[in-house]
Every structure is written in structure tokens, then in C-alpha cells.
Amino acid sequence: MTPPPDPLSSVNGPSMGARHLDRLVRRVLPRSLLGRMLLIGFIPLLVTQGISLELFYGNYLKIVSRRLSAGVVNNIAMTIDVMERYPAPSDRAWILRDVHERAQLHMSWREGDSLQRVGSNHVLGPVDDDLVRDLRVALGRPAFVDWKSDRRIVSVFIQMPDGVLRVDTPRKRLDVAPVWLFVAWATGSALVLFCIAAFFMRNQVRAIRRLARAAELFGLGRDIDPIHPEGAQEIRKAAVAFNRMRDRIFRFVEQRTSVLAGVSHDLRTPLTRLRLTLAMMPRQGQVRAEDLQPDIEDMVADIGEMEHMIEGYLSFARGEGAEVPSMVDVGELLTEVAVAARRAGAGDISVHVARPLGIVVRLAAFRRVLSNIVENARRHANRIWLSARKKRNATVIYVDDDGCGIDESRRESVFRPFESGRDGGTGLGLAIARDIIHAHGGEIRLESSPSGGLRVRIIIPD
């Protein structure tokens, strides 16, 4: 019995063949992007020129060659027929002279000679084969065509019963144009187009190489200048995106560095007070709990202050986190923030969204932004207005209040970490807000409100 075929052989066979073909292709293909782009451009160009050359041979050169050779062969055949009909020497001489004058065919008779070879000493193009074929079909006699003895004349030797008839015809009657001119033109034009394509592709690849080099240096921690966008539109967009990423990372590092400096500075004061309080406590004898109560309360207050600062630092350090963006209804989100603000003690807060608006954001992080902004407004104003509208390719959210506002000279500095306008604040609320908004690709601005206070404008792109 024949054993059943192994099912794994049919599966592994093509897989191994495909892997082998893939390795072969990788070995043959250039490794650089420029080499592959040039290969992609050169192969279609080469195929196009080859098709053009073949079409030229098939539709023009071969047809014209056959017609020209047929015309010369018909003249020769008619002359031989007339010579056989009138074999007298005087008639033959008259016939040869008349053919020379009217058909530009110079004929000479070599009585008693015989051909040593037949066919043709070949030249480039189809004309030699066409002439030999037409001579064989029209005359049915051995013949030899000499193309190389004289560049201007083609000599045809025809075996006759009593000798060899030599026919010299101008080459222009058989050859349309040198074929090598068309081949040279096709090859030259392909090389010129290839060089032009190589020049432009090299510029595109140079921009990609510059971007890759900048990314490598930036990954190594080098301080590099922004990349000048150049090249194709996609490459320019990649360079702009890289510059934005670079600025964002620099801002991220700078903010985190300032946070670490603030941690060491702000925590040093309560820690010093704790150390002094512990150092002043009695270490011997009996101590009453009532006497230690004030010191314990001070230490608990210092610990609470440190917990409050550390919570603010951690919120800032977390930033946007790993939350997945999702579609959020702006009206519902502003309503939730307004309700939470009323529970926290906000007096008059209203929400106005003319029509349903949706934005793709990280919900928890974006809610924290709005909550921080509304909380700042609640501490300094009596009335708060939340609104949103569509503007071009972005959604704009406004938070207006009727408070005292912020001086225009301080509207940029309040976004820095540890810039607080009240006692006990960490100064990280607006810094956290701008960090999260920038992470969404948006902007946050402070402006004067039409209600007399401060307006916070948040722009989230679609």
C-alpha cells in the first residue's frame, strides 16, 4: 500500500521555497533606499525602451525593409526575365544599360564564374534576411549578398546557367537608416532620464538621511537644532513632526527637571521642622502627653503638607499616562465638570454648547484639565461660563469668569511649575493642564474675558 502523503510536506514545502526566494531577492536587491528607488525607476524605463524598440522593428523597420527589398528583387527578376527572352549580346547590353539608368541597378556579367558561398554577410537589422528571402522566393537561384565591401553599395551575386550576374545597387535603396542610431537614441534617452531621476531621488533620500541622522543623534542625547523641512511633502511632514516631538521632549525634560528641583526645595522646609521638633523632644525622665501634644500636631501638619505637595508632583509627573483616547461628547463632559464644581462650592456656573460636538481625548486626563481650570476660576470669581464651538478643523472650549483676571505680563509665567497665586498651592495646576493639552496636539491660551475676568481658550484639533 502507498503510504498517505505527509500533510506537513505540502505545508513546509512552499514555505521553505518562499523563504529561499525571499533570501535570494534580498541578496540581489540593493540595501539602500536610493538604490531601490533607482531600480524601481530604471526597470520600467528599460522595459519601456525595449518595447519601443520592438514596436519600431515590427511596425516600421520590418515593413519598410520588406517593401524596399521586394522592390529591388522585382527589378532584378524582371531584368533576368527580359535577358532570358532576348539573349542576343546587343540586346543584353541595351537591357543592362537601361536598367542602370532607370532603376539605378548596375549589372555586370561574369561568364563562366560560379558562386563560392550563398546567403549574406549579416548586418544589424532585418534588411539582410528580408533581401535573401525575397531573392530565394523570386528567383529560385543561388545568390549571395555582400553588404560590407563598400559602405555605399550592396552587391548581389546571382548564379546563372552560364555564369554569375553581379548587381550593384545603392545602399539607400535597401537601408532606411542605420539601426544603431535608434538604439543609441533609445539607450541615451534612457540614461538621461535615469540620471535626472537619480538626481531628484538623491535629493529626497538626502532629506530622509538627514532626518534619520538627527533622530539617531537625538536618541543619543545630543542637543541638535531643529531640522529644516525639505524634500517631498511627506518628508516635510515627517521633519515637522520630528521638530514637534523634539520640542515636546525638551519641554518634558525641562519640566520634570524643575519638578525634581522643586521637590528637593519644598520638602526641605517641613523635613527640617520635623527634624528640629524631634531633636527638641526630651529623651530622659517622665514626659506628659499633654506637653507633647503641640509638637505632635505640628508634625502631623508638616506631614500633611508634604503629602499634599507629593500628590501634586505625582499628578504632574504622570501627565497623560497610558490612557487610551476615545470619542467624548463635549457637552456631557462640560456638564459633568460643572456639576462637580457646584458640589465643591461654585456659585453660578453655566454650560452652553450650541450643537453636539465630539472630540477624541483621554477622558480622565482631559477631565482633570477642565477641573483644574474651573477650580482656579471658582477661587477667584463669582460666575463661570463653560462653552464650546466648532472652528475649522478643531474644537474650541472656553472657560470664562468675572474675576480679577491675570495681568498680560504674567499669562505665560503662570504655566510654569511652582508658579502659584495663593498660599499653600503647588503651582502645578496650569502646568499639568498645558502638558496634557500639548500631549493631545492642542493649545491652551489665557485671554481677557468679555465678562471682565479671565478667559481660558482650549483648542483640540480633529
Side-chain angles (χ1 to χ4, degrees):
M1 294 179 63
T2 304
D6 186 3
L8 295 179
S9 62
S10 60
V11 175
N12 296 334
S15 178
M16 294 177 62
R19 288 197 298 267
H20 179 71
L21 179 61
D22 183 65
R23 287 195 298 268
L24 181 61
V25 171
R26 290 183 180 180
R27 188 177 304 172
V28 174
L29 287 179
R31 293 185 178 274
S32 65
L33 177 62
L34 178 60
R36 295 189 177 186
M37 291 175 66
L38 292 178
L39 189 63
I40 292 173
F42 180 71
I43 289 180
L45 184 62
L46 187 64
V47 172
T48 302
Q49 294 292 359
I51 294 175
S52 301
L53 188 62
E54 179 61 26
L55 291 177
F56 176 77
Y57 276 141
N59 297 331
Y60 177 74
L61 186 59
K62 288 183 179 180
I63 296 176
V64 174
S65 175
R66 286 196 298 266
R67 291 178 179 177
L68 291 177
S69 62
V72 172
V73 170
N74 289 335
N75 289 336
I76 294 174
M78 186 176 61
T79 302
I80 292 176
D81 291 342
V82 173
M83 289 173 60
E84 290 179 346
R85 182 69 178 269
Y86 302 98
S90 59
D91 294 336
R92 178 176 295 180
W94 177 84
I95 293 171
L96 295 180
R97 185 172 60 254
D98 189 65
V99 169
H100 177 67
E101 292 176 357
R102 297 180 181 275
Q104 297 182 350
L105 296 178
H106 178 71
M107 296 186 178
S108 58
W109 186 264
R110 296 181 181 181
E111 190 173 356
D113 288 352
S114 60
L115 290 179
Q116 301 300 321
R117 55 181 298 190
V118 296
S120 172
N121 47 9
H122 298 283
V123 293
L124 184 62
V127 62
D128 53 351
D129 295 332
D130 293 338
L131 184 58
V132 170
R133 183 183 64 252
D134 292 342
L135 288 172
R136 183 173 61 251
V137 173
L139 302 180
R141 304 172 186 268
F144 173 72
V145 182
D146 183 11
W147 293 85
K148 298 182 179 179
S149 297
D150 194 330
R151 294 183 177 179
R152 296 173 297 177
I153 296 176
V154 178
S155 300
V156 181
F157 300 90
I158 304 170
Q159 182 66 58
M160 304 296 291
D162 53 352
V164 175
L165 177 64
R166 175 175 177 172
V167 182
D168 294 333
T169 179
R171 193 182 186 100
K172 62 183 180 180
R173 288 201 58 185
L174 293 170
D175 198 356
V176 179
V179 181
W180 62 268
L181 286 178
F182 182 78
V183 176
W185 175 83
T187 305
S189 61
L191 290 177
V192 170
L193 294 176
F194 179 75
C195 293
I196 294 175
F199 174 75
F200 286 101
M201 290 179 181
R202 182 175 177 271
N203 290 336
Q204 303 302 321
V205 173
R206 181 176 59 184
I208 297 176
R209 288 176 177 172
R210 184 174 299 176
L211 179 61
R213 179 61 178 170
E216 181 180 3
L217 293 177
F218 187 70
L220 295 175
R222 310 280 181 86
D223 188 7
I224 61 174
D225 296 329
I227 301 176
H228 177 67
E230 61 178 352
Q233 182 179 6
E234 292 78 7
I235 302 177
R236 290 175 179 268
K237 289 183 178 180
V240 171
F242 176 83
N243 290 335
R244 291 177 178 174
M245 180 194 69
R246 168 187 171 275
D247 295 339
R248 178 184 172 190
I249 292 178
F250 277 153
R251 184 174 63 252
F252 179 87
V253 173
E254 181 181 359
Q255 290 176 345
R256 269 56 184 178
T257 302
S258 63
V259 166
L260 292 177
V263 169
S264 62
H265 176 271
D266 292 350
L267 291 181
R268 187 177 293 115
T269 300
L271 286 175
T272 302
R273 290 199 301 264
L274 285 174
R275 185 180 295 109
L276 290 175
T277 302
L278 292 174
M280 296 296 295
M281 283 187 176
R283 301 178 181 276
Q284 296 179 353
Q286 295 181 353
V287 181
R288 292 188 307 171
E290 294 81 0
D291 298 335
L292 297 179
Q293 189 65 29
D295 295 331
I296 294 175
E297 291 178 355
D298 291 340
M299 288 190 292
V300 170
D302 290 335
I303 293 174
E305 180 182 354
M306 287 190 294
E307 289 178 347
H308 179 67
M309 287 188 294
I310 291 174
E311 181 63 28
Y313 301 148
L314 292 178
S315 298
F316 179 77
R318 283 193 298 265
E320 58 181 302
E323 188 181 1
V324 178
S326 60
M327 179 63 69
V328 177
D329 185 86
V330 178
E332 294 181 0
L333 179 59
L334 294 181
T335 302
E336 293 176 5
V337 173
V339 171
R342 291 191 188 99
R343 289 200 303 265
D348 188 359
I349 180 170
S350 60
V351 178
H352 176 71
V353 180
R355 59 188 178 90
L357 296 176
I359 55 176
V360 179
V361 294
R362 296 172 176 86
L363 179 57
F366 199 74
R367 184 186 289 114
R368 184 165 67 232
V369 170
L370 296 177
S371 299
N372 288 342
I373 295 173
V374 171
E375 177 65 19
N376 289 338
R378 185 184 68 83
R379 290 196 300 265
H380 300 91
N382 296 321
R383 300 184 63 186
I384 303 173
W385 295 268
L386 303 180
S387 60
R389 65 187 180 92
K390 189 73 174 180
K391 186 177 180 180
R392 293 183 182 178
N393 297 325
T395 300
V396 184
I397 300 175
Y398 301 97
V399 179
D400 294 281
D401 62 56
D402 60 352
C404 58
I406 298 177
D407 294 338
E408 188 174 354
S409 59
R410 295 186 59 246
R411 289 177 182 174
E412 180 62 28
S413 62
V414 294
F415 285 106
R416 299 170 187 169
F418 311 111
E419 291 285 341
S420 177
R422 65 184 180 92
D423 297 335
T426 60
L428 293 175
L430 289 178
I432 294 173
R434 185 168 69 170
D435 195 40
I436 294 175
I437 295 301
H438 284 172
H440 286 82
E443 298 181 22
I444 180 171
R445 304 171 186 171
L446 301 183
E447 304 170 353
S448 297
S449 174
S451 303
L454 180 69
R455 161 174 283 185
V456 181
R457 182 197 298 261
I458 301 174
I459 304 173
I460 300 298
D462 294 340

